[in-house]
Coordinates of all heavy atoms in Angstrom, one line a residue:
T71 N -37.3 23.5 -9.2 CA -38.4 23.0 -9.9 C -38.3 23.5 -11.4 O -38.0 24.6 -11.7 CB -39.8 23.5 -9.4 OG1 -39.9 23.1 -8.0 CG2 -40.9 22.8 -10.1
A72 N -38.5 22.5 -12.3 CA -38.5 22.9 -13.8 C -39.8 22.2 -14.4 O -40.1 21.1 -14.1 CB -37.3 22.4 -14.5
I73 N -40.6 23.0 -15.1 CA -41.8 22.6 -15.7 C -41.7 22.8 -17.2 O -41.5 24.0 -17.6 CB -43.0 23.2 -15.1 CG1 -43.1 22.9 -13.6 CG2 -44.3 22.8 -15.9 CD1 -44.3 23.6 -13.0
T74 N -41.8 21.8 -18.0 CA -41.7 22.0 -19.5 C -42.9 21.4 -20.2 O -43.6 20.5 -19.6 CB -40.4 21.3 -20.0 OG1 -40.4 19.9 -19.7 CG2 -39.2 21.9 -19.4
H75 N -43.2 21.9 -21.4 CA -44.3 21.4 -22.2 C -43.7 20.9 -23.5 O -42.8 21.5 -24.1 CB -45.3 22.5 -22.5 CG -45.8 23.1 -21.2 ND1 -45.1 24.1 -20.6 CD2 -47.0 23.0 -20.6 CE1 -45.9 24.5 -19.5 NE2 -47.0 23.9 -19.5
Q76 N -44.3 19.8 -24.0 CA -43.9 19.3 -25.3 C -45.1 18.9 -26.1 O -46.1 18.3 -25.6 CB -43.0 18.1 -25.2 CG -42.5 17.5 -26.5 CD -41.6 16.3 -26.2 OE1 -41.1 16.0 -25.1 NE2 -41.3 15.5 -27.3
I77 N -45.2 19.3 -27.4 CA -46.3 18.9 -28.2 C -46.0 17.7 -29.0 O -44.9 17.6 -29.7 CB -46.6 20.1 -29.2 CG1 -46.9 21.4 -28.5 CG2 -47.8 19.7 -30.1 CD1 -48.1 21.4 -27.6
E78 N -46.9 16.7 -29.0 CA -46.8 15.5 -29.8 C -48.1 15.2 -30.5 O -49.0 14.6 -29.8 CB -46.3 14.3 -29.0 CG -44.9 14.4 -28.5 CD -44.5 13.2 -27.7 OE1 -45.3 12.2 -27.6 OE2 -43.4 13.2 -27.1
G79 N -48.3 15.7 -31.7 CA -49.6 15.6 -32.3 C -50.7 16.4 -31.6 O -50.6 17.6 -31.4
L80 N -51.7 15.6 -31.1 CA -52.8 16.3 -30.3 C -52.5 16.3 -28.8 O -53.3 16.7 -28.0 CB -54.1 15.6 -30.6 CG -54.7 15.6 -32.0 CD1 -56.0 14.9 -32.1 CD2 -54.9 17.1 -32.4
Y81 N -51.3 15.8 -28.5 CA -51.0 15.7 -27.0 C -50.1 16.9 -26.6 O -49.2 17.3 -27.3 CB -50.2 14.4 -26.8 CG -51.2 13.2 -26.8 CD1 -51.3 12.4 -28.0 CD2 -51.9 12.8 -25.7 CE1 -52.1 11.3 -28.0 CE2 -52.7 11.7 -25.7 CZ -52.8 11.0 -26.9 OH -53.7 9.9 -26.9
I82 N -50.3 17.3 -25.4 CA -49.4 18.2 -24.7 C -48.8 17.4 -23.5 O -49.5 16.9 -22.6 CB -50.1 19.4 -24.1 CG1 -50.7 20.2 -25.3 CG2 -49.1 20.3 -23.3 CD1 -51.5 21.4 -24.8
I83 N -47.5 17.2 -23.6 CA -46.8 16.4 -22.5 C -46.2 17.4 -21.5 O -45.3 18.2 -21.9 CB -45.7 15.5 -23.1 CG1 -46.3 14.7 -24.3 CG2 -45.1 14.6 -22.0 CD1 -47.4 13.7 -24.0
I84 N -46.5 17.2 -20.3 CA -46.0 18.1 -19.2 C -45.0 17.3 -18.4 O -45.3 16.2 -18.0 CB -47.2 18.6 -18.3 CG1 -48.2 19.3 -19.1 CG2 -46.6 19.4 -17.1 CD1 -49.6 19.3 -18.5
R85 N -43.8 17.9 -18.2 CA -42.8 17.3 -17.4 C -42.4 18.2 -16.3 O -42.1 19.4 -16.5 CB -41.6 17.0 -18.3 CG -40.4 16.2 -17.6 CD -39.3 16.0 -18.5 NE -38.2 15.2 -17.9 CZ -37.2 15.7 -17.2 NH1 -37.2 17.0 -16.9 NH2 -36.3 14.9 -16.7
V86 N -42.4 17.6 -15.0 CA -42.1 18.4 -13.8 C -41.0 17.7 -13.1 O -41.1 16.5 -12.7 CB -43.3 18.5 -12.9 CG1 -43.0 19.3 -11.7 CG2 -44.5 19.2 -13.6
E87 N -39.9 18.4 -12.9 CA -38.8 17.9 -12.1 C -38.6 18.7 -10.9 O -38.5 20.0 -10.9 CB -37.5 18.0 -13.0 CG -36.3 17.4 -12.3 CD -35.0 17.3 -13.2 OE1 -35.2 17.5 -14.4 OE2 -33.9 17.0 -12.6
V88 N -38.4 18.1 -9.7 CA -38.3 18.7 -8.4 C -37.1 18.2 -7.7 O -36.9 17.0 -7.7 CB -39.6 18.5 -7.6 CG1 -39.5 19.3 -6.3 CG2 -40.8 19.0 -8.4
H89 N -36.4 19.1 -7.0 CA -35.2 18.7 -6.2 C -35.4 19.2 -4.8 O -35.9 20.3 -4.6 CB -33.9 19.2 -6.7 CG -33.5 18.8 -8.1 ND1 -32.4 19.2 -8.7 CD2 -34.2 18.0 -9.0 CE1 -32.3 18.7 -9.9 NE2 -33.4 17.9 -10.1
T90 N -34.9 18.5 -3.8 CA -34.8 19.0 -2.4 C -33.6 18.3 -1.8 O -33.2 17.3 -2.2 CB -36.1 18.7 -1.6 OG1 -36.0 19.3 -0.4 CG2 -36.3 17.2 -1.4
I91 N -33.1 18.9 -0.7 CA -32.2 18.3 0.2 C -32.9 18.2 1.5 O -33.0 19.2 2.3 CB -30.9 19.1 0.3 CG1 -30.2 19.2 -1.0 CG2 -29.9 18.4 1.3 CD1 -28.9 20.0 -1.1
Y92 N -33.5 17.0 1.8 CA -34.3 16.8 3.0 C -34.4 15.4 3.3 O -33.8 14.5 2.7 CB -35.7 17.4 2.7 CG -36.5 17.7 3.9 CD1 -36.0 18.5 4.9 CD2 -37.7 17.1 4.1 CE1 -36.8 18.8 6.1 CE2 -38.5 17.3 5.3 CZ -38.0 18.2 6.2 OH -38.7 18.4 7.4
K93 N -35.2 15.1 4.3 CA -35.4 13.7 4.9 C -36.3 12.8 4.1 O -36.4 11.6 4.3 CB -35.8 13.8 6.3 CG -34.9 14.6 7.2 CD -35.4 14.7 8.6 CE -34.5 15.5 9.5 NZ -35.1 15.6 10.9
T94 N -37.2 13.4 3.3 CA -38.2 12.6 2.6 C -38.2 13.1 1.1 O -37.8 14.2 0.8 CB -39.6 12.8 3.2 OG1 -40.5 11.9 2.6 CG2 -40.1 14.2 3.1
G95 N -38.8 12.3 0.2 CA -38.7 12.5 -1.2 C -39.8 13.5 -1.7 O -40.6 14.0 -1.0
V96 N -39.7 13.8 -3.0 CA -40.5 14.8 -3.6 C -41.4 14.2 -4.8 O -41.8 14.9 -5.7 CB -39.7 16.0 -4.1 CG1 -39.2 16.9 -3.0 CG2 -38.5 15.5 -4.9
E97 N -41.7 12.9 -4.7 CA -42.5 12.3 -5.7 C -43.9 13.0 -5.8 O -44.4 13.3 -6.9 CB -42.6 10.8 -5.5 CG -41.3 10.1 -5.4 CD -40.9 9.8 -3.9 OE1 -40.6 10.8 -3.3 OE2 -41.0 8.7 -3.5
V98 N -44.5 13.1 -4.6 CA -45.9 13.7 -4.6 C -45.9 15.1 -5.1 O -46.8 15.6 -5.8 CB -46.5 13.5 -3.2 CG1 -47.9 14.1 -3.2 CG2 -46.6 12.0 -2.9
E99 N -44.8 15.9 -4.7 CA -44.7 17.2 -5.1 C -44.6 17.3 -6.6 O -45.3 18.2 -7.2 CB -43.5 17.9 -4.5 CG -43.6 18.3 -3.0 CD -43.6 17.1 -2.1 OE1 -43.2 16.0 -2.5 OE2 -43.8 17.3 -0.9
A100 N -43.8 16.5 -7.2 CA -43.7 16.5 -8.7 C -45.0 16.1 -9.4 O -45.4 16.7 -10.3 CB -42.6 15.5 -9.1
M101 N -45.7 15.1 -8.8 CA -47.0 14.7 -9.4 C -48.1 15.7 -9.2 O -48.9 15.9 -10.1 CB -47.4 13.3 -8.8 CG -46.4 12.2 -9.2 SD -46.8 10.6 -8.5 CE -48.3 10.2 -9.4
H102 N -48.1 16.3 -8.0 CA -49.0 17.4 -7.8 C -48.8 18.6 -8.7 O -49.8 19.1 -9.3 CB -48.9 17.9 -6.3 CG -50.0 18.8 -5.9 ND1 -49.7 20.0 -5.2 CD2 -51.3 18.9 -6.1 CE1 -50.8 20.7 -5.0 NE2 -51.8 20.0 -5.5

Side-chain angles (χ1 to χ4, degrees):
T71 302
I73 300 176
T74 59
H75 305 80
Q76 182 179 347
I77 303 296
E78 294 183 3
L80 295 178
Y81 286 96
I82 300 176
I83 311 298
I84 300 156
R85 183 181 185 274
V86 179
E87 181 173 352
V88 183
H89 299 180
T90 187
I91 298 176
Y92 197 59
K93 301 176 182 180
T94 188
V96 284
E97 304 97 290
V98 176
E99 284 75 8
M101 294 177 72
H102 186 224

